[in-house]
Amino acid sequence: MIPVVKTVEEARKYVKAWRREGMSVGLVPTMGFLHEGHKSLIVRAAAENDCVVVSDFVNPTQFGPNEDFETYPRDIEADAGLCEAAGAKLIFNPEPSEMYHDALTTVSVDKLTKVLCGKTRPIHFDGVCTVVSKLFNIVMPDKAYFGQKDAQQLCVVRKMVKDLNFDIEIVGCPIIREEDGLAKSSRNTYLSPEERKAALCLSRSLVMGREMIGNGEKSTRKVIEAIKAEIEREPLARIDYVEIVDLDNLEPAEDASGHILAAMAVYIGKTRLIDNFIIE
Ligand code: AMP
């Protein structure tokens, strides 16, 4: 059975032993309750590295005061089975006290974290950057794997790695979806059967927006309006934001040609879901 370690010291011991044998190390940071989306990252990491560490940590510092830290789903035993099947060699599953005890340091990336999800979740990316930096320093991987599902996070982490000279390659992985199009997410478990159906408005509206652009629509304003109108047809949905931005700096893109990210956050009942597409 794959080892599950709870302390920084134990995690380092494993990684140091692998390094002594000249093995490469991949890291997949997660908050657990793993699904096929996470699995795709682990499988890719296992294909590209000798040893893969999955961190399984519901990070309190990336949740706002009224968010779902307490209720976030957890199942370390199921996670261990999935990690082993996907080819990981170690799970790092610390308690918040092990990660933070008396820490006074925060890693903060400016600008990119103030837009999109950062408007509704003002402390979120500081929490993400701080915990990801810590995981990088604990595991010291050659490569780290992140999903395009959290496209803004991927963009912020890439910038942090560049700015702070982490010698780590960041690998972005495509969004894994349910058969009907809903992006896989640990938070999908919050949805009632009725909400689960309603949640399809995210992927459906994005497909429609992407088609508009594919058919030659250049105005991002028109595409955003059409996406919003499609979501608003769903009574259980409430839009947090729908935006089309430049993929490099996350600033609003007027023209739908080129390197863009169409991203949204939508509440379905009380559950906040995100989804996006990228045009390279
Ligand atoms: P989380 O546990 O939600 O913090 O996610 C951990 C990592 O898995 C992040 O890099 C996510 O972007 C990635 N991830 C989550 N859901 C998916 C998905 N449906 N497809 C691809 N990657 C995902």
Side-chain angles (χ1 to χ4, degrees):
M1 195 62 186
I2 185 170
V4 179
V5 297
K6 308 288 286 180
T7 67
V8 172
E9 197 186 335
E10 287 172 287
R12 285 205 165 125
K13 232 183 236 171
Y14 275 92
V15 175
K16 279 188 183 154
W18 297 334
R19 290 292 188 198
R20 274 198 298 274
E21 293 177 31
M23 296 207 265
S24 61
V25 178
L27 171 68
V28 181
T30 82
M31 296 209 300
F33 211 69
L34 304 178
H35 50 65
E36 293 291 319
H38 301 108
K39 191 172 180 181
S40 71
L41 271 56
I42 303 168
V43 166
R44 169 113 183 243
E48 297 180 357
N49 301 272
D50 298 318
C51 298
V52 173
V53 181
V54 176
S55 61
D56 189 312
F57 177 56
V58 185
N59 175 34
T61 66
Q62 69 188 67
F63 289 78
N66 298 317
E67 294 183 352
D68 57 343
F69 172 68
E70 299 294 341
T71 53
Y72 196 86
R74 292 157 168 91
D75 187 345
I76 187 68
E77 275 168 29
D79 290 352
L82 182 143
C83 286
E84 184 156 30
K89 289 280 190 293
L90 180 70
I91 299 178
F92 178 47
N93 177 228
E95 293 301 321
S97 56
E98 173 69 8
M99 286 300 268
Y100 292 111
H101 49 97
D102 56 354
L104 296 175
T105 305
T106 300
V107 180
S108 187
V109 173
D110 202 359
K111 273 195 172 165
L112 301 177
T113 59
K114 308 288 184 244
V115 297
L116 305 176
C117 287
K119 285 189 192 158
T120 316
R121 310 187 73 192
I123 62 159
H124 173 70
F125 289 107
D126 282 4
V128 169
C129 290
T130 304
V131 80
V132 168
S133 298
K134 286 169 71 69
L135 291 168
F136 285 175
N137 283 329
I138 294 164
V139 177
M140 296 204 282
D142 300 285
K143 298 184 182 189
Y145 296 77
F146 293 85
Q148 187 208 304
K149 162 88 189 329
D150 299 84
Q152 184 176 11
Q153 170 174 281
L154 180 53
C155 179
V156 168
V157 168
R158 282 192 200 283
K159 183 72 177 126
M160 179 187 80
V161 162
K162 184 162 180 253
D163 289 354
L164 295 183
N165 306 98
F166 280 109
D167 189 13
I168 297 171
E169 184 186 330
I170 302 303
V171 182
C173 303
I175 302 177
I176 304 298
R177 297 178 178 280
E178 304 284 354
E179 267 181 25
D180 60 9
L182 180 67
K184 297 223 182 212
S185 165
S186 309
R187 289 194 169 95
N188 291 348
T189 51
Y190 296 150
L191 302 170
S192 70
E194 203 188 1
E195 289 171 339
R196 172 67 183 74
K197 272 186 217 145
L200 289 176
C201 69
L202 282 88
S203 52
R204 189 173 62 236
S205 64
L206 284 172
V207 167
M208 192 204 63
R210 190 175 198 136
E211 269 172 20
M212 281 177 77
I213 295 171
N215 291 335
E217 180 56 68
K218 291 273 178 275
S219 159
T220 52
R221 187 181 54 76
K222 285 190 186 156
V223 177
I224 291 169
E225 275 170 14
I227 290 175
K228 283 185 169 172
E230 180 63 27
I231 297 170
E232 279 159 2
R233 287 176 45 204
E234 174 48 66
L236 294 179
R238 181 168 61 83
I239 295 172
D240 178 10
Y241 69 83
V242 176
E243 290 192 46
I244 299 181
V245 297
D246 183 294
L247 192 50
D248 296 319
N249 55 25
L250 304 185
E251 284 173 14
E254 275 171 30
D255 196 334
S257 57
H259 214 52
I260 54 164
L261 164 69
M264 62 171 58
V266 176
Y267 290 92
I268 303 292
K270 288 199 173 113
T271 305
R272 184 174 177 280
L273 299 176
I274 57 172
D275 201 349
N276 68 78
F277 68 79
I278 282 174
I279 298 180
E280 302 271 3

